[in-house]
Amino acid sequence: MPFTFKQFHIEDSHCGMPVSTDGVILGAWAKLPLANKDYCYRILDIGAGSGLLSLMIAQRVENPHVEIQAVELEDGAAQDCQFNFAQSPWSQQLSLKHCSIQQFTDDSLKSKAALFDAIICNPPYFDNGPQSEAKRRATARHTDTLSFETLLSHTQQLLAQTGMASFIIPTQSELGFLAALAHTKLAISHRTTISTVETKAPSRLLLALKHASCLNASSNSLQQKAQSENVVISDNLVITDNKGQYTETMSQLCRDFYLKL
């Protein structure tokens, strides 16, 4: 279903996973490099789908020098992504590679392309249970075609030494994600639990990763303190209150995107 945001529009009729609250929250929360109008940052969107995350990041950075590279394997999603990029105000900054992340990594390393200052991904997350009947939706939702082990291995290879990678996963997938993370040299720097309403337990997790050997500078004093002590920032996001209204935290996070905020 088409979805219009404040500064761009998404067509996703060919995409296995349409625009979702998960994606919007991740796009608004994802950790990005410090603003520097003179530096050409590179940002990677793995499994871009309709291109939602790339477009949100383009709006957030407000920097004409930032290069945003999307990678998408599925044919229909790549078609929607390319269309949405072309129609956006940031078409010159956005590019799409229609291939697997494995192929993209191989090509990048062979060409000695610069690494990425930020990586963002709303990954396939169901590692068991029945597959969706719709093949495109199944590919987008299940880890059969992109396991956490594979995803994190390629993230480690493509992430610059001072870069940050941001993900959203269901809470029930956390143990599997952490098991895969243990086989890399990446570490969690920020963990945000997401509850749909105040009275419910968290159902999603936002996770920001960095290279374990590197402390990423930040202007945020809390983050500076946490990183200097090599601990994880932990907090919680509640989407709606008991009356069904967006909480102030959710409104602040997504105000630049949703039309009605």
Side-chain angles (χ1 to χ4, degrees), residues 196-199 238-248 250-251 261:
T196 54
V197 295
E198 293 174 322
T199 55
V238 178
I239 297 176
T240 59
D241 59 25
N242 291 328
K243 296 180 180 179
Q245 301 298 312
Y246 282 142
T247 63
E248 182 59 26
M250 177 66 176
S251 295
L261 289 180

Side-chain angles (χ1 to χ4, degrees), residues 17 20 22-23 26 45-49 53 71-72 101 119-127 137-152 155 165-170 173-174 177 204-207 209:
M17 285 300 293
S20 68
D22 282 5
L26 175 61
D45 178 3
I46 300 176
L53 296 178
V71 178
E72 175 54 53
I101 187 59
I119 294 176
I120 186 170
C121 179
N122 183 358
Y125 46 76
F126 292 124
D127 54 9
R137 186 172 175 83
T139 299
R141 288 169 63 86
H142 289 263
T143 61
D144 292 8
T145 55
L146 183 61
S147 68
F148 287 148
E149 290 82 0
T150 299
L151 173 62
L152 292 174
T155 297
S166 302
F167 304 87
I168 186 168
I169 61 171
S173 297
E174 184 176 19
F177 190 92
R204 294 286 187 269
L205 288 172
L206 291 160
L207 297 170
L209 309 181

